[in-house]
Amino acid sequence: MAGYNDFKYLSDFEAKKAIIEAGKRMYLKGFVASNDGNISCRVGPNAIWTTPTGVSKGYMTLDMLVKVDLDGKVLVGKSKPSSEVKMHIRVYKENPEVMAVTHAHPPVATSFAIAGISLDKAILPEAVVNLGSVPIAHYATPGSTDVPDSIAPYCKSHNAVLLANHGALSWGKDVFEAYHRLESLEYYATVLMYTGKIIGQANELSCNQVKELITIREKLGITSGGIPPCSLVESNTKDVVTNTAPYIHVVPQVNKKERPKPASYIDPSCGCSVSVRSSEAVNKQTINQEIINKEDLINELTRRITEQVSESLKR
Ligand SMILES: [Zn+2]
């Protein structure tokens, strides 16, 4: 991160207001459950404002925040700072250019942290430029002194890190840059999930394309973020008019026990029993067939995504 040298510290009031606003956004975005997450903002060489323990980040007021020094000692405020403030302090100590740190448990990125898959596929230009690649720091008990040690190697070279089986941590030159990196990280993880796990295919940016993005990033004064692995082959340089990508064969599982029994009626002309497939049975059979054209594939993906979104909203 460059351009920090001429940085002026925020006033106490400005820092607290920014923390409360970022807390609201974090909560509304569903990045935290209950009282999870924490935010801090540096206001002097040895002072930060941070969020208290045991409070929902969506409903904080100015008087709840705590000012601590870089040893974690409370300077101002009646509340107790979060035990996770230790990892914030470590980021400030490792990288003096950082002015704010945000931590949350965004569900998709946290799932990658649990799966042990770092976010480093070159698929989104914005993610390469503004966020960079996001490594996973090895597991450490939340709140323990092992957490700061686990993230320390990445504080200067990267802009965010996933904490194994825990959540995400990001930092920047102010509260909103740190928070926006958290948003970008969750968005990036979501796209990786759709392309990798649901659509099952992603054209990665080629090494030349990544090189151009890194040049743009450097021109913007961003010197951290790492360089993601890139594709030697350019796979996204042609217009796609007819889909030649391999189709995903979606075969929904239908429980045999639940299959409706065919209805039947007596045909008066022959006095024999004729079975009639109910519309439900016909539908199930249709779904059971492999989906072989693009439109069906898109419909099926839309259905699955809608299902997932409505499931997560119910929770
Ligand atoms: Zn946490």
Side-chain angles (χ1 to χ4, degrees), residues 26-306:
M26 192 185 263
Y27 179 77
L28 290 173
K29 275 273 187 185
F31 290 177
V32 283
S34 180
N35 299 330
D36 296 347
N38 27 76
I39 305 162
S40 65
C41 178
R42 194 169 192 166
V43 287
N46 190 25
I48 60 170
W49 278 97
T50 187
T51 46
T53 189
V55 166
S56 166
K57 302 305 158 301
Y59 299 92
M60 294 185 298
T61 49
L62 291 173
D63 58 314
M64 289 178 181
L65 304 183
V66 203
K67 192 177 191 178
V68 299
D69 66 17
L70 293 191
D71 291 320
K73 202 181 112 204
V74 175
L75 303 172
V76 183
K78 285 171 261 156
S79 315
K80 212 177 141 216
S82 159
S83 59
E84 289 183 320
V85 76
K86 294 186 202 86
M87 66 185 171
H88 292 237
I89 290 173
R90 187 59 174 267
V91 180
Y92 295 116
K93 283 186 175 170
E94 293 290 331
N95 187 347
E97 293 180 335
V98 171
M99 292 298 146
V101 179
T102 51
H103 165 62
H105 307 156
V108 182
T110 301
S111 302
F112 275 83
I114 292 168
I117 305 169
S118 58
L119 309 178
D120 62 358
K121 250 194 180 171
I123 52 165
L124 288 169
E126 252 110 27
V128 174
V129 173
N130 296 319
L131 177 66
S133 59
V134 183
I136 302 176
H138 65 265
Y139 181 75
T141 308
S144 73
T145 47
D146 294 338
V147 179
D149 289 344
S150 75
I151 57 148
Y154 307 106
C155 297
K156 270 204 145 158
S157 54
H158 291 73
N159 299 315
V161 68
L162 292 179
L163 311 169
N165 295 73
H166 178 174
L169 184 74
S170 59
W171 49 88
K173 65 177 185 300
D174 57 48
V175 171
F176 291 103
E177 185 174 75
Y179 171 72
H180 286 152
R181 282 178 172 157
L182 206 59
E183 272 193 3
S184 303
L185 179 152
E186 179 66 353
Y187 179 74
Y188 181 21
T190 306
V191 173
L192 273 178
M193 177 183 73
Y194 287 150
T195 52
K197 304 294 169 197
I198 295 179
I199 298 176
Q201 179 166 311
N203 289 328
E204 282 180 49
L205 298 174
S206 72
C207 294
N208 279 338
Q209 290 164 344
V210 169
K211 218 170 120 190
E212 278 180 35
L213 294 169
I214 300 298
T215 309
I216 294 172
R217 188 167 85 180
E218 283 168 0
K219 279 185 188 156
L220 289 170
I222 305 168
T223 54
S224 51
I227 299 172
C230 46
S231 168
L232 290 174
V233 187
E234 298 206 329
S235 51
N236 56 2
T237 50
K238 288 193 180 115
D239 294 349
V240 179
V241 181
T242 305
N243 191 9
T244 53
Y247 293 118
I248 301 167
H249 298 288
V250 184
V251 187
Q253 297 297 311
V254 177
N255 188 341
K256 278 182 187 165
K257 284 180 197 160
E258 286 173 6
R259 279 189 185 160
K261 288 197 179 97
S264 60
Y265 70 95
I266 305 295
D267 184 346
S269 63
C270 62
C272 50
S273 169
V274 178
S275 67
V276 182
R277 288 189 301 164
S278 69
S279 59
E280 195 187 352
V282 173
N283 278 344
K284 281 196 176 172
Q285 192 186 351
T286 312
I287 293 167
N288 227 0
Q289 288 166 357
E290 287 189 339
I291 292 172
I292 51 163
N293 66 53
K294 196 176 163 186
E295 218 170 278
D296 286 346
L297 174 63
I298 291 166
N299 288 340
E300 178 61 16
L301 289 172
T302 311
R303 185 188 66 76
R304 285 183 177 202
I305 291 164
T306 315

